[in-house]
Amino acid sequence: MGTSDSLLTQAEAVLRANDVGGHYTRPSGRLYPHQWNWDSAFIAIGWAHLDWDRAVREVDALLSGQWTSGLLPHIRYNPQIHDYAPGPEWWPAVPARSAGEVTSGISQPLVLPTAVYVAGLLQPDREVRLAWWARVCDQLRDAVRYFADYRTAPGSPLIVLVHPWESGLDNSPRWDFAVRQGHRPSRPYRRVDTTIVAAAERPQPPDYDLYMYLVELIASHGYDMRAYLPVTPFAVYDALFNAIWYRAAVDAGRIAEALGRPAVVSPEALAGFRRAYRETLWNEQQHLFLDYDLKSGRQIPVATTAGLMAVYGGLVDAEQAGTMLGRYVARSRNCHLLPSTPPDQEGFEPARYHRGPVWVPTNWLVARGLEDLGLRADARALAEATVDLVRVHGCYEYFDAHTGKGAGDGQFSWTAALVIDLLRRPIA
Ligand code: 9WN
């Protein structure tokens, strides 16, 4: 067997081991036993190469947690499992469309419409593909529009992120400004994560204090952002979240168009969004997009991979993408690519979760974005570096930026799924 064949076999085994009854795929065995939003989107792309019907079931399961507003929760809890914290008791009275669904009360980067588009194209039978898209199209539209309808602030079409967990890059140094304010929840809470993996690789106690404070704040305002926006310490325009939302709107639109249905977001609204993204988040000095804190009315001066996601979103042209990437790579000397935070950025920690380590999903997003822009050599180099890291170290959750050593959970679903995609659908 060639090395790619054995890596494929290994990655497939990870997905199968994390498959929960053929319904959803947990991100990893013990650390994350429920269904996570953007994990399942990436995972569906992996399944689409192995077992297309299984990819459909992954998406169905995620969509079954959707709320009446259209929100797709960040966690869809498996009610049989109780060893993850915080559990659903922290998210009371969630307005899910289907009775019996147990979910969290915030969302995550909306990769799902893009995953459904990509997985759909992997189905060779056009009738089967269109029938699937027709079945899920309205739910994807609602998931996209939820953010435009309920999660913007006056004066801008950009989406407001209300919790670090929504960013998917939870303890990014971008959020240190809020952690430093010292907010704490009113009730005690437990942590399970640090009993499973090394505490040195996880968020710190002050991070969790903020997370749980915000959970209480959001839940106590009935999950209505406009009600808590005046009092929350955390309201940001996240460069990653907004780029992914834009791409989701475009890809949900492609699905609608293939079905002859009306646009999901109008071309004028998309153009206005592109303008706002560039005007609000571009930082000429860093040659990168930065996040924006609505409370201080300023950009957050912290460079991370989130600033590159405009490449995936299709919010920059090839020339700008090439310069942004070149700068980021140049400042990431002695690191495997791409460190989630460059080493010259204050707050960089090579082995701590989202503060420096390399993550397969963010690399995948940038590589696919470069590919779409025609920067094939850059895309291929990044894809190969990513696959090599997994080949050498295994399907880890993330990788030490300096040594490449795997960290977190060692049988990680999105790592496996996206390596399968990079091997089976190499950069064009
Ligand atoms: C909280 C599942 C999730 C990912 C996130 C990652 C981590 C959860 C946690 O795991 O977050 O949502 O308990 O730390 O940060 O991106 O979706 O893999």
Side-chain angles (χ1 to χ4, degrees):
M1 229 170 16
T3 51
S4 287
D5 288 345
S6 63
L7 182 53
L8 272 174
T9 310
Q10 196 189 322
E12 177 169 353
V14 169
L15 281 193
R16 296 208 184 274
N18 286 332
D19 185 355
V20 183
H23 301 298
Y24 77 93
T25 312
R26 59 189 178 205
S28 73
R30 290 179 58 215
L31 202 51
Y32 310 116
H34 303 289
Q35 183 172 30
W36 261 261
N37 182 330
W38 74 328
D39 296 68
S40 270
F42 291 124
I43 289 164
I45 295 175
W47 278 123
H49 290 285
L50 305 174
D51 175 349
W52 195 81
D53 293 333
R54 181 64 188 76
V56 169
R57 290 207 298 281
E58 188 75 26
V59 171
D60 282 345
L62 188 62
L63 285 173
S64 59
Q66 189 166 38
W67 286 14
T68 48
S69 59
L71 173 134
L72 266 191
H74 103 291
I75 300 175
R76 185 171 163 263
Y77 288 99
N78 177 341
Q80 317 295 325
I81 295 173
H82 306 285
D83 50 4
Y84 175 80
E89 67 280 6
W90 287 83
W91 305 107
V94 296
R97 288 181 180 181
S98 306
E101 283 293 323
V102 185
T103 75
S104 71
I106 52 173
S107 194
Q108 255 189 337
L110 190 59
V111 178
L112 190 68
T114 305
V116 171
Y117 184 63
V118 170
L121 294 180
L122 289 170
Q123 168 55 253
D125 185 330
R126 190 171 170 275
E127 296 305 313
V128 174
R129 176 196 316 144
L130 291 181
W132 181 43
W133 282 354
R135 191 162 63 69
V136 296
C137 183
D138 289 354
Q139 280 192 274
L140 296 179
R141 177 201 60 203
D142 295 352
V144 169
R145 288 190 185 161
Y146 159 77
F147 290 107
D149 292 345
Y150 296 99
R151 294 288 296 276
T152 58
S156 175
L158 297 181
I159 312 298
V160 182
L161 197 88
V162 297
H163 196 295
W165 282 336
E166 282 200 322
S167 75
L169 312 185
D170 315 344
N171 68 337
S172 173
R174 294 176 291 154
W175 316 142
D176 288 359
F177 76 92
V179 173
R180 278 196 292 265
Q181 293 169 19
H183 301 283
R184 306 187 65 160
S186 67
R187 293 168 286 166
Y189 62 90
R190 69 181 178 124
R191 282 181 73 172
V192 180
D193 58 328
T194 42
T195 67
I196 302 172
V197 297
E201 294 170 5
R202 293 290 303 173
Q204 311 246 42
D207 297 313
Y208 261 80
D209 285 346
L210 174 69
Y211 303 159
M212 300 311 292
Y213 170 83
L214 291 172
V215 167
E216 280 189 331
L217 182 84
I218 292 167
S220 67
H221 287 83
Y223 309 103
D224 175 1
M225 185 195 77
R226 289 181 182 139
Y228 61 76
L229 195 53
V231 292
T232 182
F234 191 84
V236 300
Y237 296 135
D238 174 334
L240 175 143
F241 198 95
N242 275 276
I244 290 182
W245 180 84
Y246 179 81
R247 176 70 185 261
V250 169
D251 286 335
R254 288 176 170 146
I255 291 172
E257 196 183 332
L259 297 165
R261 300 201 188 170
V264 170
V265 178
S266 73
E268 300 73 39
L270 287 175
F273 186 92
R274 267 198 311 275
R275 248 190 331 271
Y277 188 97
R278 302 173 62 93
E279 279 170 17
T280 314
L281 307 183
W282 178 246
N283 187 285
E284 183 63 29
Q285 225 178 347
Q286 301 245 14
H287 248 81
L288 199 67
F289 290 92
L290 298 182
D291 312 273
Y292 181 93
D293 172 14
L294 277 85
K295 294 284 145 172
S296 69
R298 282 201 295 266
Q299 286 186 346
I300 301 166
V302 182
T304 68
T305 41
L308 292 172
M309 292 305 150
V311 174
Y312 163 78
L315 289 152
V316 287
D317 61 18
E319 193 190 337
Q320 191 177 357
T323 321
M324 286 161 60
L325 181 73
R327 276 268 201 127
Y328 199 90
V329 170
R331 59 192 286 192
S332 300
R333 266 186 299 277
N334 304 324
C335 283
H336 289 269
L337 296 179
L338 298 163
S340 41
T341 306
D344 60 356
Q345 168 63 56
E346 193 190 333
F348 168 80
E349 293 182 69
R352 195 187 287 278
Y353 212 40
H354 297 289
R355 301 180 71 85
V358 177
W359 289 75
V360 170
T362 37
N363 276 12
W364 182 92
L365 291 166
V366 175
R368 290 293 180 203
L370 293 167
E371 178 186 34
D372 291 344
L373 288 169
L375 296 172
R376 300 215 170 80
D378 287 329
R380 221 173 278 133
L382 183 55
E384 277 167 16
T386 309
V387 170
D388 282 350
L389 211 47
V390 180
R391 201 194 307 279
V392 172
H393 299 279
C395 286
Y396 274 88
E397 186 176 2
Y398 50 94
F399 302 86
D400 184 304
H402 284 150
T403 64
K405 189 171 163 281
D409 192 284
Q411 300 271 298
F412 216 73
S413 295
W414 68 16
T415 304
L418 294 176
V419 158
I420 292 169
D421 182 60
L422 290 173
L423 291 172
R424 296 283 294 269
R425 192 167 63 99
I427 302 291

